[in-house]
Amino acid sequence: MIGFVLRRIGVSVLILVAASFVMFNLVALSTDPLADLRESNNPNKQQLIQARIQIAHLDVSPPVRWAMWLGGVAKCLIPFANQCDLGTNFHGAPVTELLPTAMGSTVQMVTGALVLAILFGLMTGILSAIRENSGFDSSFTVISLFLFSLPSFLAAAMLKSFVAIGYNNFLQDPVIPIWVSLLLGVVMGVIVQAVVGGDARRRLLAFGINFVVTSGLLIYMSATGWFLTPNIGPFGIIVITVAMAIGLTALLAGLHQRKALITAGIVSVIGIITYFVIQPLLDVATPILVIGLGLLAIAVGLAVGWFVGGDDRKQNMRLGAILAFLISFLILIDRFMQSFPGYMSDMNGRPLATVGSSTPGYDPGNMWRSGLDVFFHLVLPTVSLLVISFAQYTRYSRAGMIEVLGQDYVRTARAKGMPERVVVVRHAFRNVLIPITTLVATDLGALLGGAIITEYIFAIPGMGQLFQASLGPGDIYPVMGYFLVIAVMAITFNFLADLSYAALDPRVRVR
């Protein structure tokens, strides 16, 4: 194992060095970093040219400049030396100071898009495979193919033109007509009954319940002005927590498992009590405190699962940890919702932004409003990246699940009388994750690359904008900083994907 890791690190370093040499020389030979100054009418043009030549070392040949840059990169590997040198841009700003700021916005956007794409893509793909050739499967096949072929710049432009403007206009008079609520209830009912499947009576029952719940909620929210003062509230927290406990138990263990039900019940009660106790503390919360509370909640869920024990203690611990995390996330969302009226007032009633990663100069002194500001600035770029990645995960997970469900070991599991939940979740799903793991590693690099277009359209000061703004005038050191970050992340995630194969499939061993 150690030998494999060392070999991969050595090969990765060689690849990075060779690729950086090619990239550096291509940029240096294909751009003219002095073109704008030569065309300038500034009286001190020659002084400016000489200053740029000195800053960017333009009097040195590209291969020598690359060697100088590589020496600065090597200093970054010395721990605690604080000598990392990736060069400076034309204005004298160190690249090491530009990258962290640019990476912050890009990582937030790409991480959100990637996580949501994986979750929604896997769920939709697996449901499509289980309901193969059904109306649900056919509908989402068409939708995923459409989204996959949709250019990222077109998706971004449509989101800006229709979603942002439409949502902000809606908040001026947030009333949903009753016929629209009923229509959305019909749509939700049709989708859910297609997912549930079964005989006509079961489908009709699923349709009716979801039609009533969806339409009723929309009518209630419209009548009470919920869109202007959103919140989940104590009653909502209790209902959703109980629903999550039942759903997770049914999915991970089965409702016949008494120990799993006890675990879910204890964690749910602790979570509901915590919601009421923790409210005063959340008024003065900081990001570090919130993260600490989230980790504590997961630890409590693991402890409850361990103490309850049972025939499958690991399963109960997993159930307790996931449920504790979801309850914590629910409480967090409710607290952000409570801060929405104040934030909306700060934004003059138009909270959904179309440019930038945050409002310039906005400092409410409140973690929750600051978080809402970042959310409303990054939600559209995230969705723009999400729709394309979602289509990929849907198609891959559907194809993988259909293939796995036809394997001999799955037929054997069904022949033994195992419930369909166990066959899908424990036997089939784990093998589907193997190709998905490879896709995640490659998709991360693609998302970062695609963020160039998305960040340009939404004017987000991220890695993509740094690359685009530096490549045109031939400002080579920020370009190489972008290349270094992208290359290191791509190689690292591909390496982690190789290692994860052994955890997902016991037949795979790293030698």
mmCIF file with all atom_site columns, all heavy atoms in Angstrom, residues 420-445:
data_model
loop_
_atom_site.group_PDB
_atom_site.id
_atom_site.type_symbol
_atom_site.label_atom_id
_atom_site.label_alt_id
_atom_site.label_comp_id
_atom_site.label_asym_id
_atom_site.label_entity_id
_atom_site.label_seq_id
_atom_site.pdbx_PDB_ins_code
_atom_site.Cartn_x
_atom_site.Cartn_y
_atom_site.Cartn_z
_atom_site.occupancy
_atom_site.B_iso_or_equiv
_atom_site.pdbx_formal_charge
_atom_site.auth_seq_id
_atom_site.auth_comp_id
_atom_site.auth_asym_id
_atom_site.auth_atom_id
_atom_site.pdbx_PDB_model_num
ATOM 1   N N   . GLU A 1 420 ? -37.020 -6.130 -1.056  1.00 0.00 ? 420 GLU A N   1
ATOM 2   C CA  . GLU A 1 420 ? -36.472 -5.349 -2.166  1.00 0.00 ? 420 GLU A CA  1
ATOM 3   C C   . GLU A 1 420 ? -35.591 -4.215 -1.668  1.00 0.00 ? 420 GLU A C   1
ATOM 4   O O   . GLU A 1 420 ? -34.599 -3.855 -2.310  1.00 0.00 ? 420 GLU A O   1
ATOM 5   C CB  . GLU A 1 420 ? -37.616 -4.793 -3.007  1.00 0.00 ? 420 GLU A CB  1
ATOM 6   C CG  . GLU A 1 420 ? -37.179 -4.149 -4.310  1.00 0.00 ? 420 GLU A CG  1
ATOM 7   C CD  . GLU A 1 420 ? -36.556 -5.137 -5.294  1.00 0.00 ? 420 GLU A CD  1
ATOM 8   O OE1 . GLU A 1 420 ? -36.711 -6.363 -5.092  1.00 0.00 ? 420 GLU A OE1 1
ATOM 9   O OE2 . GLU A 1 420 ? -35.932 -4.679 -6.261  1.00 0.00 ? 420 GLU A OE2 1
ATOM 10  N N   . ARG A 1 421 ? -35.924 -3.648 -0.504  1.00 0.00 ? 421 ARG A N   1
ATOM 11  C CA  . ARG A 1 421 ? -35.096 -2.587 0.063   1.00 0.00 ? 421 ARG A CA  1
ATOM 12  C C   . ARG A 1 421 ? -33.680 -3.075 0.325   1.00 0.00 ? 421 ARG A C   1
ATOM 13  O O   . ARG A 1 421 ? -32.705 -2.394 0.011   1.00 0.00 ? 421 ARG A O   1
ATOM 14  C CB  . ARG A 1 421 ? -35.720 -2.082 1.379   1.00 0.00 ? 421 ARG A CB  1
ATOM 15  C CG  . ARG A 1 421 ? -34.875 -1.076 2.122   1.00 0.00 ? 421 ARG A CG  1
ATOM 16  C CD  . ARG A 1 421 ? -35.381 -0.901 3.536   1.00 0.00 ? 421 ARG A CD  1
ATOM 17  N NE  . ARG A 1 421 ? -35.360 -2.159 4.271   1.00 0.00 ? 421 ARG A NE  1
ATOM 18  C CZ  . ARG A 1 421 ? -34.262 -2.669 4.834   1.00 0.00 ? 421 ARG A CZ  1
ATOM 19  N NH1 . ARG A 1 421 ? -33.100 -2.051 4.721   1.00 0.00 ? 421 ARG A NH1 1
ATOM 20  N NH2 . ARG A 1 421 ? -34.320 -3.804 5.499   1.00 0.00 ? 421 ARG A NH2 1
ATOM 21  N N   . VAL A 1 422 ? -33.537 -4.283 0.898   1.00 0.00 ? 422 VAL A N   1
ATOM 22  C CA  . VAL A 1 422 ? -32.215 -4.842 1.190   1.00 0.00 ? 422 VAL A CA  1
ATOM 23  C C   . VAL A 1 422 ? -31.471 -5.143 -0.101  1.00 0.00 ? 422 VAL A C   1
ATOM 24  O O   . VAL A 1 422 ? -30.264 -4.891 -0.218  1.00 0.00 ? 422 VAL A O   1
ATOM 25  C CB  . VAL A 1 422 ? -32.360 -6.122 2.048   1.00 0.00 ? 422 VAL A CB  1
ATOM 26  C CG1 . VAL A 1 422 ? -30.998 -6.769 2.279   1.00 0.00 ? 422 VAL A CG1 1
ATOM 27  C CG2 . VAL A 1 422 ? -33.021 -5.793 3.376   1.00 0.00 ? 422 VAL A CG2 1
ATOM 28  N N   . VAL A 1 423 ? -32.178 -5.671 -1.096  1.00 0.00 ? 423 VAL A N   1
ATOM 29  C CA  . VAL A 1 423 ? -31.545 -6.004 -2.370  1.00 0.00 ? 423 VAL A CA  1
ATOM 30  C C   . VAL A 1 423 ? -30.972 -4.747 -3.027  1.00 0.00 ? 423 VAL A C   1
ATOM 31  O O   . VAL A 1 423 ? -29.830 -4.733 -3.509  1.00 0.00 ? 423 VAL A O   1
ATOM 32  C CB  . VAL A 1 423 ? -32.557 -6.691 -3.304  1.00 0.00 ? 423 VAL A CB  1
ATOM 33  C CG1 . VAL A 1 423 ? -31.959 -6.875 -4.704  1.00 0.00 ? 423 VAL A CG1 1
ATOM 34  C CG2 . VAL A 1 423 ? -32.984 -8.037 -2.738  1.00 0.00 ? 423 VAL A CG2 1
ATOM 35  N N   . VAL A 1 424 ? -31.760 -3.674 -3.019  1.00 0.00 ? 424 VAL A N   1
ATOM 36  C CA  . VAL A 1 424 ? -31.341 -2.446 -3.704  1.00 0.00 ? 424 VAL A CA  1
ATOM 37  C C   . VAL A 1 424 ? -30.277 -1.695 -2.908  1.00 0.00 ? 424 VAL A C   1
ATOM 38  O O   . VAL A 1 424 ? -29.224 -1.319 -3.434  1.00 0.00 ? 424 VAL A O   1
ATOM 39  C CB  . VAL A 1 424 ? -32.561 -1.534 -3.969  1.00 0.00 ? 424 VAL A CB  1
ATOM 40  C CG1 . VAL A 1 424 ? -32.105 -0.185 -4.524  1.00 0.00 ? 424 VAL A CG1 1
ATOM 41  C CG2 . VAL A 1 424 ? -33.516 -2.199 -4.938  1.00 0.00 ? 424 VAL A CG2 1
ATOM 42  N N   . VAL A 1 425 ? -30.542 -1.477 -1.604  1.00 0.00 ? 425 VAL A N   1
ATOM 43  C CA  . VAL A 1 425 ? -29.657 -0.618 -0.800  1.00 0.00 ? 425 VAL A CA  1
ATOM 44  C C   . VAL A 1 425 ? -28.354 -1.319 -0.447  1.00 0.00 ? 425 VAL A C   1
ATOM 45  O O   . VAL A 1 425 ? -27.267 -0.747 -0.583  1.00 0.00 ? 425 VAL A O   1
ATOM 46  C CB  . VAL A 1 425 ? -30.386 -0.157 0.482   1.00 0.00 ? 425 VAL A CB  1
ATOM 47  C CG1 . VAL A 1 425 ? -29.438 0.636  1.384   1.00 0.00 ? 425 VAL A CG1 1
ATOM 48  C CG2 . VAL A 1 425 ? -31.599 0.690  0.122   1.00 0.00 ? 425 VAL A CG2 1
ATOM 49  N N   . ARG A 1 426 ? -28.426 -2.578 -0.014  1.00 0.00 ? 426 ARG A N   1
ATOM 50  C CA  . ARG A 1 426 ? -27.233 -3.248 0.504   1.00 0.00 ? 426 ARG A CA  1
ATOM 51  C C   . ARG A 1 426 ? -26.446 -3.989 -0.578  1.00 0.00 ? 426 ARG A C   1
ATOM 52  O O   . ARG A 1 426 ? -25.231 -4.088 -0.480  1.00 0.00 ? 426 ARG A O   1
ATOM 53  C CB  . ARG A 1 426 ? -27.630 -4.218 1.606   1.00 0.00 ? 426 ARG A CB  1
ATOM 54  C CG  . ARG A 1 426 ? -28.063 -3.530 2.889   1.00 0.00 ? 426 ARG A CG  1
ATOM 55  C CD  . ARG A 1 426 ? -27.905 -4.469 4.060   1.00 0.00 ? 426 ARG A CD  1
ATOM 56  N NE  . ARG A 1 426 ? -28.153 -3.804 5.326   1.00 0.00 ? 426 ARG A NE  1
ATOM 57  C CZ  . ARG A 1 426 ? -27.949 -4.376 6.501   1.00 0.00 ? 426 ARG A CZ  1
ATOM 58  N NH1 . ARG A 1 426 ? -27.500 -5.629 6.576   1.00 0.00 ? 426 ARG A NH1 1
ATOM 59  N NH2 . ARG A 1 426 ? -28.188 -3.714 7.622   1.00 0.00 ? 426 ARG A NH2 1
ATOM 60  N N   . HIS A 1 427 ? -27.123 -4.544 -1.562  1.00 0.00 ? 427 HIS A N   1
ATOM 61  C CA  . HIS A 1 427 ? -26.431 -5.372 -2.540  1.00 0.00 ? 427 HIS A CA  1
ATOM 62  C C   . HIS A 1 427 ? -26.125 -4.611 -3.838  1.00 0.00 ? 427 HIS A C   1
ATOM 63  O O   . HIS A 1 427 ? -24.998 -4.655 -4.335  1.00 0.00 ? 427 HIS A O   1
ATOM 64  C CB  . HIS A 1 427 ? -27.267 -6.623 -2.841  1.00 0.00 ? 427 HIS A CB  1
ATOM 65  C CG  . HIS A 1 427 ? -27.384 -7.556 -1.682  1.00 0.00 ? 427 HIS A CG  1
ATOM 66  N ND1 . HIS A 1 427 ? -26.426 -8.491 -1.374  1.00 0.00 ? 427 HIS A ND1 1
ATOM 67  C CD2 . HIS A 1 427 ? -28.341 -7.682 -0.734  1.00 0.00 ? 427 HIS A CD2 1
ATOM 68  C CE1 . HIS A 1 427 ? -26.788 -9.169 -0.304  1.00 0.00 ? 427 HIS A CE1 1
ATOM 69  N NE2 . HIS A 1 427 ? -27.952 -8.683 0.120   1.00 0.00 ? 427 HIS A NE2 1
ATOM 70  N N   . ALA A 1 428 ? -27.127 -3.939 -4.392  1.00 0.00 ? 428 ALA A N   1
ATOM 71  C CA  . ALA A 1 428 ? -26.946 -3.317 -5.703  1.00 0.00 ? 428 ALA A CA  1
ATOM 72  C C   . ALA A 1 428 ? -26.287 -1.946 -5.617  1.00 0.00 ? 428 ALA A C   1
ATOM 73  O O   . ALA A 1 428 ? -25.371 -1.628 -6.378  1.00 0.00 ? 428 ALA A O   1
ATOM 74  C CB  . ALA A 1 428 ? -28.294 -3.211 -6.412  1.00 0.00 ? 428 ALA A CB  1
ATOM 75  N N   . PHE A 1 429 ? -26.741 -1.127 -4.667  1.00 0.00 ? 429 PHE A N   1
ATOM 76  C CA  . PHE A 1 429 ? -26.297 0.266  -4.611  1.00 0.00 ? 429 PHE A CA  1
ATOM 77  C C   . PHE A 1 429 ? -24.782 0.392  -4.432  1.00 0.00 ? 429 PHE A C   1
ATOM 78  O O   . PHE A 1 429 ? -24.148 1.252  -5.030  1.00 0.00 ? 429 PHE A O   1
ATOM 79  C CB  . PHE A 1 429 ? -27.026 0.978  -3.472  1.00 0.00 ? 429 PHE A CB  1
ATOM 80  C CG  . PHE A 1 429 ? -26.625 2.418  -3.311  1.00 0.00 ? 429 PHE A CG  1
ATOM 81  C CD1 . PHE A 1 429 ? -26.893 3.346  -4.296  1.00 0.00 ? 429 PHE A CD1 1
ATOM 82  C CD2 . PHE A 1 429 ? -25.960 2.844  -2.171  1.00 0.00 ? 429 PHE A CD2 1
ATOM 83  C CE1 . PHE A 1 429 ? -26.520 4.671  -4.146  1.00 0.00 ? 429 PHE A CE1 1
ATOM 84  C CE2 . PHE A 1 429 ? -25.589 4.164  -2.014  1.00 0.00 ? 429 PHE A CE2 1
ATOM 85  C CZ  . PHE A 1 429 ? -25.876 5.083  -3.003  1.00 0.00 ? 429 PHE A CZ  1
ATOM 86  N N   . ARG A 1 430 ? -24.196 -0.480 -3.628  1.00 0.00 ? 430 ARG A N   1
ATOM 87  C CA  . ARG A 1 430 ? -22.754 -0.371 -3.356  1.00 0.00 ? 430 ARG A CA  1
ATOM 88  C C   . ARG A 1 430 ? -21.932 -0.565 -4.616  1.00 0.00 ? 430 ARG A C   1
ATOM 89  O O   . ARG A 1 430 ? -20.933 0.109  -4.837  1.00 0.00 ? 430 ARG A O   1
ATOM 90  C CB  . ARG A 1 430 ? -22.355 -1.406 -2.305  1.00 0.00 ? 430 ARG A CB  1
ATOM 91  C CG  . ARG A 1 430 ? -20.922 -1.271 -1.828  1.00 0.00 ? 430 ARG A CG  1
ATOM 92  C CD  . ARG A 1 430 ? -20.679 -2.116 -0.604  1.00 0.00 ? 430 ARG A CD  1
ATOM 93  N NE  . ARG A 1 430 ? -19.338 -1.949 -0.103  1.00 0.00 ? 430 ARG A NE  1
ATOM 94  C CZ  . ARG A 1 430 ? -18.888 -2.474 1.035   1.00 0.00 ? 430 ARG A CZ  1
ATOM 95  N NH1 . ARG A 1 430 ? -19.711 -3.183 1.788   1.00 0.00 ? 430 ARG A NH1 1
ATOM 96  N NH2 . ARG A 1 430 ? -17.657 -2.283 1.425   1.00 0.00 ? 430 ARG A NH2 1
ATOM 97  N N   . ASN A 1 431 ? -22.357 -1.486 -5.486  1.00 0.00 ? 431 ASN A N   1
ATOM 98  C CA  . ASN A 1 431 ? -21.623 -1.708 -6.728  1.00 0.00 ? 431 ASN A CA  1
ATOM 99  C C   . ASN A 1 431 ? -21.852 -0.589 -7.740  1.00 0.00 ? 431 ASN A C   1
ATOM 100 O O   . ASN A 1 431 ? -20.998 -0.321 -8.584  1.00 0.00 ? 431 ASN A O   1
ATOM 101 C CB  . ASN A 1 431 ? -22.017 -3.045 -7.336  1.00 0.00 ? 431 ASN A CB  1
ATOM 102 C CG  . ASN A 1 431 ? -21.397 -4.224 -6.612  1.00 0.00 ? 431 ASN A CG  1
ATOM 103 O OD1 . ASN A 1 431 ? -20.241 -4.178 -6.226  1.00 0.00 ? 431 ASN A OD1 1
ATOM 104 N ND2 . ASN A 1 431 ? -22.177 -5.265 -6.383  1.00 0.00 ? 431 ASN A ND2 1
ATOM 105 N N   . VAL A 1 432 ? -23.006 0.052  -7.659  1.00 0.00 ? 432 VAL A N   1
ATOM 106 C CA  . VAL A 1 432 ? -23.257 1.194  -8.542  1.00 0.00 ? 432 VAL A CA  1
ATOM 107 C C   . VAL A 1 432 ? -22.305 2.342  -8.227  1.00 0.00 ? 432 VAL A C   1
ATOM 108 O O   . VAL A 1 432 ? -21.943 3.128  -9.108  1.00 0.00 ? 432 VAL A O   1
ATOM 109 C CB  . VAL A 1 432 ? -24.727 1.648  -8.411  1.00 0.00 ? 432 VAL A CB  1
ATOM 110 C CG1 . VAL A 1 432 ? -24.977 2.946  -9.161  1.00 0.00 ? 432 VAL A CG1 1
ATOM 111 C CG2 . VAL A 1 432 ? -25.661 0.565  -8.931  1.00 0.00 ? 432 VAL A CG2 1
ATOM 112 N N   . LEU A 1 433 ? -21.878 2.457  -6.966  1.00 0.00 ? 433 LEU A N   1
ATOM 113 C CA  . LEU A 1 433 ? -21.013 3.561  -6.551  1.00 0.00 ? 433 LEU A CA  1
ATOM 114 C C   . LEU A 1 433 ? -19.624 3.484  -7.165  1.00 0.00 ? 433 LEU A C   1
ATOM 115 O O   . LEU A 1 433 ? -18.917 4.494  -7.195  1.00 0.00 ? 433 LEU A O   1
ATOM 116 C CB  . LEU A 1 433 ? -20.888 3.579  -5.026  1.00 0.00 ? 433 LEU A CB  1
ATOM 117 C CG  . LEU A 1 433 ? -22.124 4.031  -4.249  1.00 0.00 ? 433 LEU A CG  1
ATOM 118 C CD1 . LEU A 1 433 ? -21.855 3.959  -2.758  1.00 0.00 ? 433 LEU A CD1 1
ATOM 119 C CD2 . LEU A 1 433 ? -22.528 5.440  -4.652  1.00 0.00 ? 433 LEU A CD2 1
ATOM 120 N N   . ILE A 1 434 ? -19.192 2.326  -7.640  1.00 0.00 ? 434 ILE A N   1
ATOM 121 C CA  . ILE A 1 434 ? -17.830 2.194  -8.173  1.00 0.00 ? 434 ILE A CA  1
ATOM 122 C C   . ILE A 1 434 ? -17.630 3.070  -9.410  1.00 0.00 ? 434 ILE A C   1
ATOM 123 O O   . ILE A 1 434 ? -16.702 3.895  -9.454  1.00 0.00 ? 434 ILE A O   1
ATOM 124 C CB  . ILE A 1 434 ? -17.499 0.718  -8.447  1.00 0.00 ? 434 ILE A CB  1
ATOM 125 C CG1 . ILE A 1 434 ? -17.502 -0.057 -7.124  1.00 0.00 ? 434 ILE A CG1 1
ATOM 126 C CG2 . ILE A 1 434 ? -16.147 0.576  -9.149  1.00 0.00 ? 434 ILE A CG2 1
ATOM 127 C CD1 . ILE A 1 434 ? -17.312 -1.547 -7.283  1.00 0.00 ? 434 ILE A CD1 1
ATOM 128 N N   . PRO A 1 435 ? -18.459 2.945  -10.462 1.00 0.00 ? 435 PRO A N   1
ATOM 129 C CA  . PRO A 1 435 ? -18.278 3.868  -11.597 1.00 0.00 ? 435 PRO A CA  1
ATOM 130 C C   . PRO A 1 435 ? -18.601 5.313  -11.247 1.00 0.00 ? 435 PRO A C   1
ATOM 131 O O   . PRO A 1 435 ? -18.013 6.237  -11.821 1.00 0.00 ? 435 PRO A O   1
ATOM 132 C CB  . PRO A 1 435 ? -19.233 3.317  -12.660 1.00 0.00 ? 435 PRO A CB  1
ATOM 133 C CG  . PRO A 1 435 ? -20.242 2.526  -11.905 1.00 0.00 ? 435 PRO A CG  1
ATOM 134 C CD  . PRO A 1 435 ? -19.513 1.950  -10.738 1.00 0.00 ? 435 PRO A CD  1
ATOM 135 N N   . ILE A 1 436 ? -19.532 5.516  -10.298 1.00 0.00 ? 436 ILE A N   1
ATOM 136 C CA  . ILE A 1 436 ? -19.869 6.886  -9.906  1.00 0.00 ? 436 ILE A CA  1
ATOM 137 C C   . ILE A 1 436 ? -18.667 7.567  -9.258  1.00 0.00 ? 436 ILE A C   1
ATOM 138 O O   . ILE A 1 436 ? -18.444 8.769  -9.423  1.00 0.00 ? 436 ILE A O   1
ATOM 139 C CB  . ILE A 1 436 ? -21.073 6.880  -8.946  1.00 0.00 ? 436 ILE A CB  1
ATOM 140 C CG1 . ILE A 1 436 ? -22.327 6.359  -9.654  1.00 0.00 ? 436 ILE A CG1 1
ATOM 141 C CG2 . ILE A 1 436 ? -21.319 8.269  -8.392  1.00 0.00 ? 436 ILE A CG2 1
ATOM 142 C CD1 . ILE A 1 436 ? -22.778 7.199  -10.808 1.00 0.00 ? 436 ILE A CD1 1
ATOM 143 N N   . THR A 1 437 ? -17.870 6.796  -8.515  1.00 0.00 ? 437 THR A N   1
ATOM 144 C CA  . THR A 1 437 ? -16.681 7.357  -7.870  1.00 0.00 ? 437 THR A CA  1
ATOM 145 C C   . THR A 1 437 ? -15.721 7.919  -8.909  1.00 0.00 ? 437 THR A C   1
ATOM 146 O O   . THR A 1 437 ? -15.156 9.016  -8.736  1.00 0.00 ? 437 THR A O   1
ATOM 147 C CB  . THR A 1 437 ? -15.976 6.272  -7.034  1.00 0.00 ? 437 THR A CB  1
ATOM 148 O OG1 . THR A 1 437 ? -16.885 5.770  -6.058  1.00 0.00 ? 437 THR A OG1 1
ATOM 149 C CG2 . THR A 1 437 ? -14.752 6.832  -6.335  1.00 0.00 ? 437 THR A CG2 1
ATOM 150 N N   . THR A 1 438 ? -15.529 7.184  -9.990  1.00 0.00 ? 438 THR A N   1
ATOM 151 C CA  . THR A 1 438 ? -14.671 7.681  -11.076 1.00 0.00 ? 438 THR A CA  1
ATOM 152 C C   . THR A 1 438 ? -15.256 8.939  -11.694 1.00 0.00 ? 438 THR A C   1
ATOM 153 O O   . THR A 1 438 ? -14.537 9.898  -11.996 1.00 0.00 ? 438 THR A O   1
ATOM 154 C CB  . THR A 1 438 ? -14.508 6.597  -12.153 1.00 0.00 ? 438 THR A CB  1
ATOM 155 O OG1 . THR A 1 438 ? -14.002 5.411  -11.551 1.00 0.00 ? 438 THR A OG1 1
ATOM 156 C CG2 . THR A 1 438 ? -13.555 7.048  -13.241 1.00 0.00 ? 438 THR A CG2 1
ATOM 157 N N   . LEU A 1 439 ? -16.576 8.954  -11.864 1.00 0.00 ? 439 LEU A N   1
ATOM 158 C CA  . LEU A 1 439 ? -17.231 10.117 -12.460 1.00 0.00 ? 439 LEU A CA  1
ATOM 159 C C   . LEU A 1 439 ? -17.080 11.353 -11.581 1.00 0.00 ? 439 LEU A C   1
ATOM 160 O O   . LEU A 1 439 ? -16.888 12.458 -12.089 1.00 0.00 ? 439 LEU A O   1
ATOM 161 C CB  . LEU A 1 439 ? -18.713 9.810  -12.692 1.00 0.00 ? 439 LEU A CB  1
ATOM 162 C CG  . LEU A 1 439 ? -19.544 10.910 -13.344 1.00 0.00 ? 439 LEU A CG  1
ATOM 163 C CD1 . LEU A 1 439 ? -19.016 11.233 -14.727 1.00 0.00 ? 439 LEU A CD1 1
ATOM 164 C CD2 . LEU A 1 439 ? -21.010 10.510 -13.416 1.00 0.00 ? 439 LEU A CD2 1
ATOM 165 N N   . VAL A 1 440 ? -17.161 11.177 -10.261 1.00 0.00 ? 440 VAL A N   1
ATOM 166 C CA  . VAL A 1 440 ? -17.011 12.309 -9.348  1.00 0.00 ? 440 VAL A CA  1
ATOM 167 C C   . VAL A 1 440 ? -15.627 12.938 -9.501  1.00 0.00 ? 440 VAL A C   1
ATOM 168 O O   . VAL A 1 440 ? -15.479 14.166 -9.550  1.00 0.00 ? 440 VAL A O   1
ATOM 169 C CB  . VAL A 1 440 ? -17.239 11.867 -7.886  1.00 0.00 ? 440 VAL A CB  1
ATOM 170 C CG1 . VAL A 1 440 ? -16.847 12.966 -6.912  1.00 0.00 ? 440 VAL A CG1 1
ATOM 171 C CG2 . VAL A 1 440 ? -18.696 11.476 -7.678  1.00 0.00 ? 440 VAL A CG2 1
ATOM 172 N N   . ALA A 1 441 ? -14.604 12.089 -9.588  1.00 0.00 ? 441 ALA A N   1
ATOM 173 C CA  . ALA A 1 441 ? -13.235 12.600 -9.701  1.00 0.00 ? 441 ALA A CA  1
ATOM 174 C C   . ALA A 1 441 ? -13.040 13.408 -10.972 1.00 0.00 ? 441 ALA A C   1
ATOM 175 O O   . ALA A 1 441 ? -12.414 14.480 -10.960 1.00 0.00 ? 441 ALA A O   1
ATOM 176 C CB  . ALA A 1 441 ? -12.248 11.433 -9.659  1.00 0.00 ? 441 ALA A CB  1
ATOM 177 N N   . THR A 1 442 ? -13.566 12.900 -12.082 1.00 0.00 ? 442 THR A N   1
ATOM 178 C CA  . THR A 1 442 ? -13.409 13.623 -13.348 1.00 0.00 ? 442 THR A CA  1
ATOM 179 C C   . THR A 1 442 ? -14.351 14.819 -13.434 1.00 0.00 ? 442 THR A C   1
ATOM 180 O O   . THR A 1 442 ? -14.011 15.844 -14.033 1.00 0.00 ? 442 THR A O   1
ATOM 181 C CB  . THR A 1 442 ? -13.663 12.678 -14.528 1.00 0.00 ? 442 THR A CB  1
ATOM 182 O OG1 . THR A 1 442 ? -14.977 12.095 -14.397 1.00 0.00 ? 442 THR A OG1 1
ATOM 183 C CG2 . THR A 1 442 ? -12.640 11.564 -14.551 1.00 0.00 ? 442 THR A CG2 1
ATOM 184 N N   . ASP A 1 443 ? -15.526 14.699 -12.819 1.00 0.00 ? 443 ASP A N   1
ATOM 185 C CA  . ASP A 1 443 ? -16.508 15.773 -12.907 1.00 0.00 ? 443 ASP A CA  1
ATOM 186 C C   . ASP A 1 443 ? -16.070 17.001 -12.135 1.00 0.00 ? 443 ASP A C   1
ATOM 187 O O   . ASP A 1 443 ? -16.419 18.124 -12.499 1.00 0.00 ? 443 ASP A O   1
ATOM 188 C CB  . ASP A 1 443 ? -17.849 15.275 -12.375 1.00 0.00 ? 443 ASP A CB  1
ATOM 189 C CG  . ASP A 1 443 ? -18.980 16.243 -12.685 1.00 0.00 ? 443 ASP A CG  1
ATOM 190 O OD1 . ASP A 1 443 ? -18.999 16.787 -13.799 1.00 0.00 ? 443 ASP A OD1 1
ATOM 191 O OD2 . ASP A 1 443 ? -19.840 16.444 -11.820 1.00 0.00 ? 443 ASP A OD2 1
ATOM 192 N N   . LEU A 1 444 ? -15.302 16.806 -11.082 1.00 0.00 ? 444 LEU A N   1
ATOM 193 C CA  . LEU A 1 444 ? -14.830 17.945 -10.306 1.00 0.00 ? 444 LEU A CA  1
ATOM 194 C C   . LEU A 1 444 ? -13.976 18.866 -11.173 1.00 0.00 ? 444 LEU A C   1
ATOM 195 O O   . LEU A 1 444 ? -14.146 20.086 -11.171 1.00 0.00 ? 444 LEU A O   1
ATOM 196 C CB  . LEU A 1 444 ? -14.038 17.470 -9.089  1.00 0.00 ? 444 LEU A CB  1
ATOM 197 C CG  . LEU A 1 444 ? -13.532 18.574 -8.166  1.00 0.00 ? 444 LEU A CG  1
ATOM 198 C CD1 . LEU A 1 444 ? -14.709 19.304 -7.535  1.00 0.00 ? 444 LEU A CD1 1
ATOM 199 C CD2 . LEU A 1 444 ? -12.619 18.025 -7.091  1.00 0.00 ? 444 LEU A CD2 1
ATOM 200 N N   . GLY A 1 445 ? -13.041 18.269 -11.930 1.00 0.00 ? 445 GLY A N   1
ATOM 201 C CA  . GLY A 1 445 ? -12.232 19.080 -12.834 1.00 0.00 ? 445 GLY A CA  1
ATOM 202 C C   . GLY A 1 445 ? -13.058 19.752 -13.905 1.00 0.00 ? 445 GLY A C   1
ATOM 203 O O   . GLY A 1 445 ? -12.826 20.911 -14.269 1.00 0.00 ? 445 GLY A O   1
#
